[in-house]
Amino acid sequence: MTLPSDPSDPSNSQRSGELRSDRQANREGPPAPDNNPLGEIERQIQDTERSLNHLKERIAQVLRDRQRQRDLQNRRDDIRREVRQAKTVNPSLIPELKQELKQIQATLEAIELSLESELFSFSALKEPFWQALRFGGIGIIIGWLLRAWAS
């Protein structure tokens, strides 16, 4: 860009005005990102609400599974009594009762697995793992520094 040679030339004054506005823009820097703290808080509230709803759904599912588990255990006990009675009264019912008993046992195992899987999840261990790794690493580094300093 050339410097204005004649201050009375109107085209030169226009160029100098452009230069001044360019310099002002450079001093101000790029436009600042939207630092809206309310927007961030709203997003966090929405995330918390989603997590809470997910937790409520999971609690309801666990309660349903526990109730179903109790019902199936009661039915299993009833069938076992019926099998003992059928041995003396009507032995032809035993295969049918044993088949139902197997189905109930398989369902109970699936419910137990579902209940246990939620008690232990890898996503629940993610944050403690990284915390232990971070602070353990810091501890090792501090130990090395102290050992080097003491030597």
Side-chain angles (χ1 to χ4, degrees):
M1 187 173 249
T2 60
L3 294 175
S5 54
D6 185 9
S8 61
D9 185 12
S11 63
N12 286 339
S13 65
Q14 184 181 15
R15 271 192 231 141
S16 65
E18 289 173 0
L19 287 175
R20 271 185 256 128
S21 66
D22 286 344
R23 282 188 217 127
Q24 288 173 349
N26 286 340
R27 252 186 272 134
E28 292 171 5
D34 187 15
N35 292 332
N36 185 358
L38 292 178
E40 179 65 23
I41 291 172
E42 288 174 358
R43 188 188 61 76
Q44 289 176 352
I45 288 173
Q46 289 172 352
D47 290 345
T48 305
E49 286 175 346
R50 270 187 249 121
S51 297
L52 180 63
N53 287 334
H54 176 58
L55 183 63
K56 286 179 180 179
E57 290 171 6
R58 180 58 188 154
I59 289 172
Q61 180 185 359
V62 166
L63 293 175
R64 284 191 307 267
D65 286 349
R66 285 185 180 166
Q67 181 60 44
R68 178 133 168 84
Q69 184 181 32
R70 282 190 296 272
D71 293 343
L72 288 173
Q73 287 170 342
N74 291 338
R75 179 64 183 141
R76 180 185 63 191
D77 295 340
D78 292 343
I79 290 174
R80 286 181 178 164
R81 278 193 294 274
E82 289 176 21
V83 168
R84 279 187 245 121
Q85 291 174 354
K87 286 181 182 177
T88 58
V89 177
N90 191 357
S92 63
L93 290 176
I94 292 176
E96 181 181 319
L97 291 172
K98 285 189 176 185
Q99 180 63 29
E100 186 177 354
L101 191 62
K102 285 180 184 178
Q103 289 174 349
I104 289 174
Q105 192 63 35
T107 306
L108 280 171
E109 289 173 4
I111 289 173
E112 287 175 18
L113 181 64
S114 172
L115 289 171
E116 289 174 2
S117 70
E118 190 59 33
L119 293 176
F120 180 77
S121 66
F122 290 107
S123 63
L125 292 177
K126 186 173 27 176
E127 186 172 341
F129 169 76
W130 288 113
Q131 292 292 331
L133 186 66
R134 179 188 319 159
F135 292 117
I138 290 172
I140 290 172
I141 291 171
I142 291 172
W144 284 340
L145 292 173
L146 288 174
R147 182 177 174 199
W149 181 64
S151 301

